[in-house]
Amino acid sequence: MSNIDLIIEERAADIGNFMVGRLLPFRQKRAVGPFVFLDHMGPAKMNERENLDVLPHPHIGLSTLTYLFEGSIMHRDSIGSEVEIKPGAVNWMTAGKGVVHSERTPEYLRESNKTLHGLQIWVALPIDLEECEPKFTHIEASDIPSWEQDGLKIKLIAGEAFGKKSPVPVHSHFYFVEIKSDKPQKVSIGDDLFGESALYILEGSVSSEGNTYDPKQILVAKDSKLCEFEIAANTTVYIFGGEPFPEERYINWNFVSSSKERLKKARQDWIDQRFPKVEGETEFVPYPGH
């Protein structure tokens, strides 16, 4: 009996002068645990005239997790945060009742050749925290739990698993784990997982029940407890998931909520520019069609 319920391929999406690979949401799978959105950025090689410039845009009802493999992004938000994110660190921004942020190539890199490569993730908030005050936390790469186990290099980027807990201040029961292997071997980690679970292949390949799967695919498990696969040499995968919420989450543009009425209000608030501003920024991303 196969434990793979669904295979999701990356689909191209435009986030404003920058193309990404969209993985979640997918029409047959809107969420994995509390994870409602996953974009793979790059790897994008940019010259001295090309830069990432995602203008100020709003969020409600979610936390964003930015994790880079290469490059650098300057994050500015309406709470007053101004932080450069570098590879291996975690930017964790909880939007709650509403936050606005921009993401740009830092000034010192704008006139040079550079590469940008990473993941951008949205984690829905529990219903009692959807309207919380916005917060921002930056966790340095050196503070992310990492260890070797059975020949695997493992990082617990966020959440809880393997009897460990990441310092990222999450609001629900989930995990986001990096696994790297230099050599081919069997991986059996189901006992450390819970809830819904999925595996994203960044590089290399994995095999399960006679089938081989390549990069830019998410494999969604039927049962996280049966998470076993063969990992090829020089492979990096990300395993993520957790307990799903009892209530459905709806997405409208950059807004996430358990209430469609709340999404309508957020939409109108952004059109009317009633959200807080990012200091030093004058432009913004208009609501699509406005």
Side-chain angles (χ1 to χ4, degrees), residues 154-206:
I154 303 178
K155 278 187 189 176
L156 179 58
I157 295 166
E160 296 179 61
F162 306 97
K164 296 177 169 36
K165 186 173 182 178
S166 165
V168 176
V170 304
H171 308 291
S172 57
H173 202 33
F174 72 82
Y175 45 86
F176 177 46
V177 178
E178 176 186 270
I179 296 180
K180 288 179 178 277
S181 183
D182 299 330
K183 62 179 194 278
Q185 59 180 313
K186 186 176 182 182
V187 179
S188 180
I189 55 169
D191 290 343
D192 292 298
L193 306 180
F194 53 87
E196 296 184 328
S197 191
L199 180 151
Y200 172 62
I201 306 164
L202 177 71
E203 59 189 358
S205 64
V206 302

Side-chain angles (χ1 to χ4, degrees), residues 147-258:
W147 67 97
E148 292 203 19
Q149 178 178 319
D150 303 326
L152 301 169
K153 293 175 182 164
I154 303 178
K155 278 187 189 176
L156 179 58
I157 295 166
E160 296 179 61
F162 306 97
K164 296 177 169 36
K165 186 173 182 178
S166 165
V168 176
V170 304
H171 308 291
S172 57
H173 202 33
F174 72 82
Y175 45 86
F176 177 46
V177 178
E178 176 186 270
I179 296 180
K180 288 179 178 277
S181 183
D182 299 330
K183 62 179 194 278
Q185 59 180 313
K186 186 176 182 182
V187 179
S188 180
I189 55 169
D191 290 343
D192 292 298
L193 306 180
F194 53 87
E196 296 184 328
S197 191
L199 180 151
Y200 172 62
I201 306 164
L202 177 71
E203 59 189 358
S205 64
V206 302
S207 301
S208 176
E209 293 143 341
N211 298 309
T212 299
Y213 304 95
D214 296 318
K216 300 190 175 183
Q217 293 183 318
I218 285 181
L219 312 180
V220 181
K222 284 181 180 165
D223 182 352
S224 62
K225 293 290 173 205
L226 299 178
C227 191
E228 286 191 355
F229 54 92
E230 304 276 340
I231 192 167
N234 304 313
T235 292
T236 302
V237 300
Y238 292 85
I239 295 175
F240 63 96
E243 300 296 349
F245 295 126
E247 323 85 10
E248 187 174 353
R249 291 300 183 276
Y250 305 103
I251 298 179
N252 180 314
W253 190 44
N254 296 320
F255 307 127
V256 174
S257 181
S258 57

Side-chain angles (χ1 to χ4, degrees), residues 21-221:
R22 177 87 15 104
L23 289 148
L24 279 180
F26 184 64
R27 63 184 179 277
Q28 291 152 271
K29 189 67 179 168
R30 308 304 298 177
V32 176
F35 290 82
V36 294
F37 181 94
L38 175 59
D39 267 359
H40 175 212
M41 303 183 291
K45 296 193 181 301
M46 296 180 281
N47 63 32
E48 67 277 5
R49 296 179 307 281
E50 297 171 312
N51 291 292
L52 177 73
D53 282 301
V54 181
L55 301 180
H57 58 282
H59 293 288
I60 66 161
L62 56 84
S63 295
T64 62
L65 190 159
T66 305
Y67 186 77
L68 297 182
F69 314 127
E70 289 182 86
S72 177
I73 294 175
M74 182 59 76
H75 163 101
R76 293 185 182 89
D77 64 39
S78 53
I79 315 166
S81 319
E82 184 169 336
V83 177
E84 181 182 354
I85 180 166
K86 293 183 175 182
V90 171
N91 261 18
W92 177 257
M93 182 180 71
T94 296
K97 66 182 185 181
V99 76
V100 178
H101 73 133
S102 64
E103 297 157 293
R104 298 181 183 270
T105 300
E107 283 300 327
Y108 73 93
L109 291 175
R110 294 184 77 85
E111 295 182 4
S112 60
N113 294 329
K114 60 245 162 211
T115 300
L116 187 61
H117 191 198
L119 296 175
Q120 288 210 304
I121 294 162
W122 296 357
V123 182
L125 287 169
I127 201 162
D128 59 329
L129 291 176
E130 285 187 314
E131 297 298 320
C132 70
E133 290 295 324
K135 304 178 199 67
F136 176 84
T137 309
H138 179 82
I139 307 290
E140 294 293 352
S142 56
D143 294 326
I144 300 295
S146 57
W147 67 97
E148 292 203 19
Q149 178 178 319
D150 303 326
L152 301 169
K153 293 175 182 164
I154 303 178
K155 278 187 189 176
L156 179 58
I157 295 166
E160 296 179 61
F162 306 97
K164 296 177 169 36
K165 186 173 182 178
S166 165
V168 176
V170 304
H171 308 291
S172 57
H173 202 33
F174 72 82
Y175 45 86
F176 177 46
V177 178
E178 176 186 270
I179 296 180
K180 288 179 178 277
S181 183
D182 299 330
K183 62 179 194 278
Q185 59 180 313
K186 186 176 182 182
V187 179
S188 180
I189 55 169
D191 290 343
D192 292 298
L193 306 180
F194 53 87
E196 296 184 328
S197 191
L199 180 151
Y200 172 62
I201 306 164
L202 177 71
E203 59 189 358
S205 64
V206 302
S207 301
S208 176
E209 293 143 341
N211 298 309
T212 299
Y213 304 95
D214 296 318
K216 300 190 175 183
Q217 293 183 318
I218 285 181
L219 312 180
V220 181

